[in-house]
Amino acid sequence: MRASFFRDLSLGTLSALLLACTGYVTGPGGDSAGLGSATGGPNGQAPAAGSGGPSSGGSGSAAVGGKQEALETVPASSAYPRLSHHQWSLAAQDLLQLDAPPDVANFSKDAPSATGFDNTAVSLEVSQTLWQDYQRASETLAASVASDMGKLTKLLPPGFPSGDAARPKAFVASLGERAFRRPLTAAEEQLFVGLYQQGSTLFPGRDALSAGAELTIQALLQSPQFIYRPENANPPDASRIAPLSDSEIAVRLSFMLWDAPPDQQLLAAGKSNALHTPEQIGAQVTRMLLDKRAEEKLLEFHRQLLELRRYDSLSPMGLPAGIGETLRSETEQFVRAALIAKPGTFADLLTASYSFVNRDTASLYGLTGSFGTELVRTELKPEQRAGILTQPGFLISHAGDTAPILRGVFVNLKLLCAELPPPPVFTPPKMNGTTRRERIDSITGKGTCGEGCHANLINPAGFPLEYFDNLGRYRTEDSGKPIDGKASYTFSDGAQEIDGPVEWARAIATSQQAHACYVRHWLEFGLGRAYAKEDAALVERIAKASQDEEKSVVQLLSLLAESPSFRTRKSEAK
Amino acid sequence: MKSITSQRHGRRAFLRGVGTVSIGLPLLDVFTPRKVRAADMPRCAVFVRQGNGVAQAGNGEPERFWPKNLGALTQASMEADSDRALKELAMYADKLLLVRGTRFAFGANGCGHSGGGNQVLTAAKVSTDPSGQHSLSMGESVDNRMAAAINPEGREPITLLTGDTQGYLPVVLSYRGPKQLRGADNDPFAVYMRMTGLSGMDSAVVEQVSTRRKSVNDLLREQFKQLLGRTDLSTEDRRRLELHRSAIREVEVKLSCSLPEMRQRDLDGINAVNGDNYVKVTEMHMDVIALAFACDYSRVATLQMGQGNDGTQFSIPGYRNGEKLPRFHQISHRIYSDGSEGDPIEGAQEMHHEIDKLHARLFRYLLDKLASYSLPTGSLLDQSVAAWTNDLGHGVSHNYENIPWVLAGSAGGYLKQGQYIDAGKVTHNQLFNTLLNAVGVRKADGSLVDDFGDPSLRGGQIAGMLA
């Protein structure tokens, strides 16, 4: 290899990269120095715990006892997280009582986030272009509602006055409270009433209610209190930590479980200060998890974590057009069945030996029998198939000559949260060998410069899946040689020997590392911020419940919502 | 000076675009054929970025990109270099300025593509944290500096992407400041609709909408006054809320400034994230950029063609029977071909060369569009500088040397034309200093810009680029 390939990397950096690949991973309780992009996001602020050393008990009112919970603290986060586009759409639908959420596909796209989720607050800003989109959407929605008496009546509070004099305040107070998820202040009310009253001038010829309503709706949808979910009610203590108000807890809860604003019950609980103990929160959570919106949220989490939208554009040779959407639908239905139809666990996702099959995918599963166009729940061969890692959508979207590496990287990053330093800049040599495994080994295995990262982490995560070809079909041979699906993977608590996909799925499903990783992702997606060092104790506690007590995924969400850190926020630096 | 209103009803100086509706410009003052020099007219800049480097000399491979000889360019000389990708631009020879010999100053932090993307428009350092494919630039990008200085109404630059906004390394080019990556828009119809806004509507209606917007905006500004007056705001929250607040503005509504109906329908109908539509979507983005310049909606734009390590599978009519090629990223590494017999390395270099030619033709499309708007002093292209570049030099080695800079247009006479020069292995911040000056940006004291990018770099312009 020519020296020029290392021009971009000093030898010191390169050897550091190789050292970093010797089985080191982040895990609960372990040294979390390698969190990299997980801390603080693009503005580069130092991890909060490192600056000023707050007392570790700073998690607000830990009403429930237990030494473990007292150690749980919270990293700094924004006091004004912006709604994601999806959340804005659901919030607008809720506010205006629309039949369907407004289409926001054309909203200006947010910059990508290191978490991979679309709702990480540090990446969500209101740029000029997005503001224009909010303005246009607000005007369109307001016009459509205000010009239709049937739609407008739905927004009027009970006992809405008949006289024009009292109407502005009644309309503004009622709709404003639902828009801001808390009662308007007197000053805010005055501002909006003033705008409402300009209705006759700004909409000449229109009746006062219709005109005033249209203006009010436009302004509410563009208000920062609608676009963001402020967490600024209570002042922070000396360690910059403040308890959320009950109304703020209501908002956090509803966006975490529903991606939508609080309903009347939740709003009322917040308003009457009946939403700050774990029991009070737990009761609401139980109710909320039964709602269809929670189902949608669970599905959306897996869509984003497992990158299911990538399946849509799959068009492998030999399979019918539109197969990508079928494969996505299969995994979505699987998630529904495994986690929602009955409260399933993380382990179920990885080990269940059924899926949803139709006539286009039956051959991929080696199934005979009559299938139609509908996907139907079907038992699979338990010695071949286990959960999401053996579904064709995943296998096909990570296929080709380097499939073991693609699949291995996915498992490491998405399911095990293993820190993988990116590959150094160089040209790999030509591959040698007959089977795909041999060829990958020839350029990344022992004796190559890729050995450090590939031998312990990447390749062993992909080799057990070599029993599946590029179309996700089970095979026992590759180019005339028997499949070698054995591997040794170095988990955070030690190496394990694996043979084949089912053993691999079980090993992941029973590992501390995978449960912690899954919980960590839920923390990120549920709270809309990146995981940080301060979250380690909380994640460890919930992961233990998932792994040792086999708590279901919805129970994990309850634990997250009932935690002390859920009820607090730490301010960022001034 | 006559008011804008009366001039609208009086003698009109139109920008006539080939294949577009005639556009009455609000910039009539500037474009009327009185004694106006090209140097006084607004100047525009557009940066078009291809990924994965180009097939140029290096790593034992022959030169397939640049012309054979430095110096003057003519259509004949460029066509004679028929094995070079830039021959696709031969008809623009007299407007081209090709600059070899610039490099990025800093190493990557774990991912060559990301480090290149971080620097290509910023000439700033690469972040130490975050690292890998999440690394970020430690400074603003050149389009951001340009837009802040020359864009009407303080508009941000147009930031476009051909491709998906999700992925390993989706968006790389434009930065508001250190680590403040700007999101890119990938749907040309959405961008177009946002830009044209109320144009084309009845003027009485426009008047009413504008008045209402002012009232609503006043209310919003009052709310922001309260919010920003709080003493408990963190620095980051304050920055974000301030960005939002400054976005609230009353926008002057342009007269009819639009694309032909049929073209609008094309934009509306296309699936912008399907890789098969790469060429079509890129051309649509280019239509929108040219229109934005012509209507003075914005004078600065960037277009990122393909993601950070672009994995598009091109099918090029006339090449290998139009078959779908392997992923561009893999081609650039010369490995993992489709496994057929034959020498894969040779095949991959030729594929890369063909993809370079495809991008050259796309760049030509943009030049055609800009050139189609004729001004009293020439064309919109002459008033602009269009730059086609790359966040790598040579794909295989992922190196940052000889970054391909293909410039067209003199920006109102500032830049040399019809030349292929060697800047002499300088860091590319000097190229940005030159371009900033070309579009009329100056330092606070009115002197020429000589210090864009990281302060540790040697400043100044590239003398060989000056007219």
Side-chain angles (χ1 to χ4, degrees), chain A residues 36 42-44 78-79 106 109 125 127-128 131 133 136 139 198 202 223 225 228 232 422 572-574, chain B residues 110 129 154 156 176 179 186-187 194 212-213 215 223 230-231 234-237 239-240 244 247 397-398:
Chain A
N43 56 351
S78 169
N106 283 344
K109 304 289 194 295
E125 297 183 325
S127 61
Q128 285 179 9
W131 181 78
D133 292 336
R136 243 205 350 254
E139 290 173 353
Q198 294 180 50
L202 294 177
S223 289
Q225 294 85 345
Y228 302 94
N232 59 6
E572 294 169 320
K574 283 230 201 131
Chain B
D129 168 42
E156 297 214 310
R176 288 192 184 95
K179 297 191 180 180
N186 63 354
D187 182 340
R194 202 184 290 128
R212 266 176 243 144
R213 283 181 171 175
S215 285
Q223 292 188 74
R230 294 177 71 112
T231 51
S234 70
T235 315
E236 255 312 290
D237 279 340
R239 183 192 66 77
R240 241 180 268 131
H244 182 164
S397 59
H398 275 26

Side-chain angles (χ1 to χ4, degrees), chain B residues 304-315:
Chain B
Q304 181 186 321
M305 302 182 289
Q307 294 196 334
N309 56 343
D310 186 16
T312 306
Q313 288 187 263
F314 294 99
S315 82

Side-chain angles (χ1 to χ4, degrees), chain A residues 119-458:
Chain A
N119 63 353
T120 302
V122 285
S123 304
L124 304 183
E125 297 183 325
V126 180
S127 61
Q128 285 179 9
T129 48
L130 181 56
W131 181 78
Q132 278 182 269
D133 292 336
Y134 283 153
Q135 183 189 52
R136 243 205 350 254
S138 305
E139 290 173 353
T140 309
L141 290 172
S144 135
V145 169
S147 58
D148 180 330
M149 212 44 217
K151 294 183 186 165
L152 188 48
T153 318
K154 283 201 238 172
L155 305 185
L156 304 178
F160 189 63
S162 46
D164 275 344
R167 279 183 160 186
K169 190 167 143 85
F171 187 81
V172 157
S174 141
L175 197 64
E177 176 167 344
R178 291 188 41 240
F180 288 12
R181 304 150 210 137
R182 55 150 177 87
L184 264 55
T185 64
E188 287 167 342
E189 216 178 77
Q190 201 176 26
L191 265 184
F192 279 89
V193 164
L195 181 67
Y196 181 115
Q197 286 167 336
Q198 294 180 50
S200 41
T201 347
L202 294 177
F203 284 101
R206 282 264 287 277
D207 73 275
L209 170 60
S210 165
E214 184 160 340
L215 283 172
T216 308
I217 294 171
Q218 278 188 19
L220 286 174
L221 288 174
Q222 292 176 65
S223 289
Q225 294 85 345
F226 177 82
I227 292 170
Y228 302 94
R229 35 182 188 92
E231 295 182 344
N232 59 6
N234 293 328
D237 61 19
S239 47
R240 304 209 317 256
I241 290 184
L244 261 50
S245 70
D246 288 39
S247 290
E248 288 169 345
I249 290 175
V251 174
R252 246 200 206 189
L253 259 187
S254 69
F255 280 101
M256 176 171 106
L257 298 179
W258 289 345
D259 265 339
D263 60 3
Q264 280 301 95
Q265 246 190 47
L266 203 55
L267 271 178
K271 222 162 122 173
S272 57
N273 280 330
L275 194 57
H276 54 269
T277 68
E279 295 77 24
Q280 289 167 335
I281 293 174
Q284 291 290 341
V285 169
T286 306
R287 171 182 79 85
M288 293 170 77
L289 285 172
L290 297 172
D291 190 294
K292 200 120 181 61
R293 284 170 285 192
E295 215 178 285
E296 242 324 287
K297 179 89 185 195
L298 232 101
L299 265 184
E300 183 59 29
F301 170 76
H302 292 92
R303 267 190 212 110
Q304 293 194 24
L305 178 67
L306 304 177
E307 297 178 340
L308 299 189
R309 288 189 173 89
R310 285 181 57 190
Y311 296 7
D312 289 349
S313 57
L314 291 175
S315 57
M317 280 211 316
L319 294 184
I323 191 73
E325 286 166 26
T326 306
L327 297 173
R328 162 141 88 113
S329 192
E330 170 188 354
T331 301
E332 288 180 356
Q333 290 194 36
F334 174 78
V335 169
R336 258 192 229 275
L339 298 185
I340 300 171
K342 57 150 184 71
T345 66
F346 168 65
D348 291 335
L349 269 185
L350 279 163
T351 56
S353 60
Y354 63 87
S355 191
F356 289 78
V357 181
N358 74 359
R359 67 168 174 223
D360 292 334
T361 58
S363 58
L364 305 180
Y365 279 116
L367 295 169
T368 50
S370 62
F371 290 92
T373 48
E374 285 275 300
L375 288 163
V376 289
R377 181 174 169 144
T378 311
E379 291 303 311
L380 307 171
K381 302 194 180 79
E383 69 276 12
Q384 290 180 7
R385 305 279 176 171
I388 51 182
L389 287 181
T390 61
Q391 290 172 4
F394 167 68
L395 296 166
I396 296 176
S397 59
H398 297 80
D401 291 338
T402 55
I405 295 177
L406 299 176
R407 294 167 183 173
V409 168
F410 178 94
V411 171
N412 271 282
L413 295 182
K414 299 285 186 171
L415 298 183
L416 295 168
C417 293
E419 287 282 314
L420 293 182
V425 176
F426 79 115
T427 310
K430 252 176 111 156
M431 290 165 148
N432 281 321
T434 321
T435 66
R436 186 161 68 186
R437 177 174 180 148
E438 284 169 353
R439 294 165 64 77
I440 294 292
D441 224 11
S442 71
I443 57 170
T444 59
K446 280 206 168 358
T448 70
C449 88
E451 177 184 348
C453 301
H454 284 268
N456 296 325
L457 295 177
I458 298 177

